[in-house]
Amino acid sequence: MPKIFLTGATGYIGGAVLTRLLERPFDITILVRSAAKASLFNETFGKKHSLKAVVGSYSDLKLLRELAGEADVVFACADADDLAAAKAILSGMRDKYSETGVAPTLIHTSGTGVLGDDADGMHASPSIYSDMNIEQLETLSPDQPHRNVDLVLVEADSQGYVKTYIILPSTIYGFASGPLVESGLQNWRSQQIPRLVDVSLQRGQGGMVGKGKNWWGNVHIDDVAELYLAILDLLSKASPPPDFAHGRAGFYFAENGEHTLYSVGEAISKVLSGMGKGSSTPTTFSDKEVRLYFPGGTSLGSNSRCRAERGYKVGWRPSRKTQDMLSSVRGEVDASLSR
Ligand SMILES: NC(=O)c1ccc[n+]([C@@H]2O[C@H](COP(=O)([O-])OP(=O)(O)OC[C@H]3O[C@@H](n4cnc5c(N)ncnc54)[C@H](OP(=O)(O)O)[C@@H]3O)[C@@H](O)[C@H]2O)c1
């Protein structure tokens, strides 16, 4: 059984992955920022599941290196963009390799935001990226979101001391569930759709960037978590499928359908108008609204189109589709209202 180190345990993605790891007899260490949550993890899941929560953050680079250096498999689910943290994790994994002569595995969380363009909701892009087309992925600028970290991982893999698998989720939707959520330890909601719902509730009308003509992939949180576990399972297979790649080719999109921003804005608008708020047709966010509601700028209006072909080739079978994402909007509105 591999020794596992996981970051982001209290998060939407990391918690969903950890929930599944806890169903198996692994020796797991997690990094948790909140001391209170770390204690609760240790009390509730520590002994029964061989889980150890250590208090710390991605700023504690020495600790990060140490914990990564003790693991056979690291799941990095905290922050796709923290380059210093990624380098500290890699340093730990290099230490592990020096000690054992066996390259440990890093399963890292990136995102399909790396594919984003500047459409601002005004047009659909014809560019659809496949994770089986490495040459196409390598046309991406190093300045694209997440890409600087992903490239450092690929370079580390090429040096032979670590095997890197990079998972790139698209728009994740659905409520995370399980014992971590029930214990109040895990964030159970995603980011993009809940944010759109919150903004729509505040302005009393479903909205979109530009004309909402841009496309993004979507994937349910349970299907995303299953992709991490599918990769973990393949690590111990004597003859994994030929497309089970790491390093340069080890990119795995998580997607099972795509949608326009308009369709999400419309789904939100229909729910809200049924409650007497606004019309059932989404309206464009004004410049003032974009500045107010999305102060760091928004990638909501970009195109991020991809096909998760590698995961499929190695046995991942996501089950929920775009219609499930659109149907999930009603629950998101209820969740925002009851918060
Ligand atoms: N949700 C999506 O649709 C989606 C899609 C593609 C990519 N991603 C990327 O995946 C990553 C995780 O997303 P998520 O949706 O799971 O977010 P989330 O629910 O906010 O979870 C983030 C997790 O990382 C931890 N964390 C954040 N910063 C940290 C730091 N500096 N040191 C240690 N731990 C830290 C958080 O701990 P606390 O509980 O202490 O805050 C939490 O456990 C993000 O980088 C996100 O951009 C998300």
Side-chain angles (χ1 to χ4, degrees), residues 8 10-13 33 58 78-80 110 169-170 172 187 190-192:
T10 54
Y12 181 59
I13 300 175
R33 287 199 282 194
Y58 265 12
D79 184 344
S110 178
S170 51
I172 314 178
N187 170 28
S190 191
Q191 299 170 11
Q192 298 94 325

Side-chain angles (χ1 to χ4, degrees), residues 6-16 31-34 37 56-60 64 76-82 85 108-113 146 167-173 185-193 216 219 221 224 228:
L6 179 141
T7 68
T10 54
Y12 181 59
I13 300 175
L31 181 78
V32 180
R33 287 199 282 194
S34 148
K37 283 196 173 180
S57 87
Y58 265 12
S59 311
D60 302 322
L64 207 47
C77 304
D79 184 344
D81 300 308
D82 193 326
H108 172 82
T109 308
S110 178
T112 66
H146 318 314
I167 296 185
L168 303 96
S170 51
T171 301
I172 314 178
Y173 67 92
L185 285 165
Q186 182 194 349
N187 170 28
W188 47 278
R189 290 184 81 190
S190 191
Q191 299 170 11
Q192 298 94 325
I193 295 175
W216 266 76
V219 62
I221 181 63
V224 173
Y228 288 78

Side-chain angles (χ1 to χ4, degrees), residues 153-236:
L153 265 55
V154 170
E155 167 59 22
D157 182 290
S158 75
Q159 292 177 25
Y161 67 85
V162 62
K163 291 182 177 166
T164 61
Y165 298 82
I166 300 180
I167 296 185
L168 303 96
S170 51
T171 301
I172 314 178
Y173 67 92
F175 298 149
S177 60
L180 303 187
V181 171
E182 286 152 23
S183 309
L185 285 165
Q186 182 194 349
N187 170 28
W188 47 278
R189 290 184 81 190
S190 191
Q191 299 170 11
Q192 298 94 325
I193 295 175
R195 182 73 193 133
L196 260 180
V197 166
D198 287 347
V199 166
S200 301
L201 282 168
Q202 284 177 55
R203 69 200 286 267
Q205 168 66 60
M208 60 195 169
V209 178
K211 295 184 175 174
K213 288 187 172 179
N214 56 301
W215 290 82
W216 266 76
N218 55 73
V219 62
H220 191 277
I221 181 63
D222 290 340
D223 287 326
V224 173
E226 292 300 335
L227 179 56
Y228 288 78
L229 271 288
I231 289 175
L232 179 69
D233 285 343
L234 286 165
L235 293 173
S236 55

Side-chain angles (χ1 to χ4, degrees), residues 111-116 146 169-171 192 214-218 255 257-261 299-306 322 325:
T112 66
V114 70
L115 311 176
H146 318 314
S170 51
T171 301
Q192 298 94 325
N214 56 301
W215 290 82
W216 266 76
N218 55 73
E255 156 278 331
E258 58 177 359
H259 58 271
T260 60
L261 182 62
S299 57
L300 278 172
S302 64
N303 286 285
S304 171
R305 307 189 68 183
C306 64
T322 300
M325 184 273 292

